[in-house]
């Protein structure tokens, strides 16, 4: 019997009776997989299946965390399992409703698919978990040694307000739908953008740099745009294809000082230049 913890593995290894050389091995672990079905970018667009990486699960009373493929171990067929939307890297909360939870029975090779596009508040929590991991991974490709990426990010969804989202410099916060606006946690561009604000804040060197609103808006829009490969930021936010901002409007460019104004206006100049 040979076991590993990183990555998780357990094998029966068969050896030659005369020489002791290993001749074959058979895994004694059984695996299942967790996937979230959420908007790829916006609820008015296509939905997709995303493996739920680093998600806390309980199987037969034992707590574990899914791996980078969304897999978790199952000791026996018909095992009781429970799932939530938190893990060591992202913790999702719901302000206006109970936190998302799923009870299921799993066995070896089970694929648990969790999602309901008709349930706004559940969809917001699942989408926030998936897209928070995606944006963390993108930032890690730029700054692999950035310690902030290894901290658990708190994401609060379904806040009793409308038409906005915000970063407090660390945690992310998203509002319910209403007033002509979609639930902001269901828009991947908005999740990416708000995390950009947190990255900006956490990157400041005390005594050296100060937070600049226009710069933060510009680089946060640019971060979002590079992930979705589109200069149009936030289509679907107004329940149609109209973006919140366009970093590369057809036939023109944003210029200083002609297009200056509040921080989002000036952010378009910075984000458009980077794009």
């Amino acid at each position: 019997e040979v076991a590993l913890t990183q990555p998780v593995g357990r094998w029966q290894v068969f050896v030659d009776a005369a020489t002791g050389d290993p001749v074959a091995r058979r895994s004694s672990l059984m695996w299942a997989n967790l996937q979230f079905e959420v908007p790829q970018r916006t609820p008015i667009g296509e939905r997709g299946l995303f493996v739920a990486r680093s998600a806390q699960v309980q199987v037969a009373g034992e707590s574990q965390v899914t791996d980078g493929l969304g897999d978790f171990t199952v000791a026996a067929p018909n095992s009781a399992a429970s799932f939530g939307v938190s893990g060591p890297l992202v913790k999702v909360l719901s302000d206006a409703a109970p936190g998302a939870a799923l009870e299921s029975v799993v066995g070896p090779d089970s694929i648990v698919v969790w999602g309901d596009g008709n349930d706004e508040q559940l969809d917001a929590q699942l989408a926030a978990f998936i897209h928070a991991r995606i944006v963390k991974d993108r930032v890690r490709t730029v700054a692999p040694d950035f310690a902030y990426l290894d901290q658990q990010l708190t994401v609060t969804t379904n806040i009793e307000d409308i038409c906005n989202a915000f970063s407090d410099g660390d945690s992310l916060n998203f509002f319910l739908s209403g007033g002509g606006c979609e639930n902001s946690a269901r828009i991947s561009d908005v999740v990416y953008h708000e995390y950009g604000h947190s990255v900006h804040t956490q990157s400041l060197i005390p005594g050296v740099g100060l937070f600049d609103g226009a710069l933060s808006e510009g680089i946060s829009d640019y971060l979002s745009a590079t992930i979705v490969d589109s200069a149009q930021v936030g289509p679907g936010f107004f329940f149609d294809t109209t973006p919140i901002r366009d970093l590369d409007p057809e036939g023109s460019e944003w210029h200083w000082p002609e297009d200056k104004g509040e921080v989002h206006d000036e952010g378009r100049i910075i984000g458009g230049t980077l794009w």
Side-chain angles (χ1 to χ4, degrees):
E1 294 283 345
V2 178
L4 289 177
T5 56
Q6 294 292 336
V8 174
R10 187 175 301 117
W11 295 273
Q12 290 178 311
V13 180
F14 299 85
V15 299
D16 184 285
T19 66
D21 293 334
V23 294
R25 72 176 184 177
R26 178 176 63 199
S27 176
S28 57
L29 290 182
M30 295 177 284
W31 297 90
N33 187 261
L34 177 62
Q35 301 179 16
F36 290 173
E37 190 262 333
V38 300
Q40 290 186 2
R41 192 175 176 192
T42 165
I44 67 169
E46 295 183 358
R47 299 178 67 83
L49 289 175
F50 297 82
V51 295
R53 296 172 295 138
S54 303
Q56 199 81 33
V57 303
Q58 284 232 342
V59 181
E62 296 291 329
S63 181
Q64 55 179 299
V65 175
T66 59
D67 67 13
L69 299 176
D71 289 339
F72 57 97
T73 59
V74 179
N78 301 317
S79 298
S82 59
F83 308 92
V85 282
S86 290
L89 293 177
V90 177
K91 177 175 70 175
V92 177
L93 306 175
S94 180
D95 189 59
L102 176 68
E103 303 290 331
S104 185
V105 174
V106 298
D109 300 322
S110 291
I111 299 177
V112 179
V113 176
W114 189 9
D116 183 355
N118 296 315
D119 186 335
E120 171 194 333
Q121 296 188 18
L122 172 64
D123 206 34
Q125 295 175 68
L126 300 181
F129 182 87
I130 292 296
H131 292 299
R133 275 304 313 273
I134 289 174
V135 69
K136 272 197 163 193
D137 290 346
R138 169 50 70 90
V139 175
R140 194 179 295 277
T141 67
V142 178
D145 298 325
F146 188 29
Y148 177 61
L149 297 172
D150 297 321
Q151 298 177 20
Q152 186 186 59
L153 173 69
T154 299
V155 182
T156 302
T157 62
N158 301 319
I159 295 172
E160 293 272 14
D161 209 332
I162 58 172
C163 293
N164 213 340
F166 68 93
S167 160
D168 63 8
D170 183 3
S171 67
L172 310 185
N173 302 271
F174 301 96
F175 295 176
L176 288 166
S177 65
C181 304
E182 180 59 90
N183 186 309
S184 51
R186 302 176 81 188
I187 309 291
S188 69
D189 300 34
V190 177
V191 177
Y192 305 153
H193 174 95
E194 297 305 334
Y195 191 67
H197 286 309
S198 293
V199 169
H200 182 205
T201 302
Q202 298 294 326
S203 300
L204 296 175
I205 302 172
V208 177
L210 296 175
F211 184 88
D212 181 87
L215 176 61
S216 197
E217 294 297 339
I219 62 176
S220 296
D221 275 354
Y222 179 65
L223 172 62
S224 176
T226 59
I227 295 174
V228 301
D229 194 26
S230 172
Q232 295 193 329
V233 179
F237 189 81
F238 303 112
F239 297 106
D240 59 23
T241 58
T242 304
I244 301 172
R245 285 177 295 281
D246 191 344
L247 301 183
D248 190 18
E250 186 174 355
S252 66
E253 301 291 344
W254 302 110
H255 290 93
W256 177 274
E258 299 94 324
D259 299 312
K260 70 178 182 178
E262 55 90 38
V263 290
H264 294 89
D265 296 329
E266 295 172 6
R268 290 184 305 186
I269 303 171
I270 296 170
T273 301
L274 293 171
W275 178 261

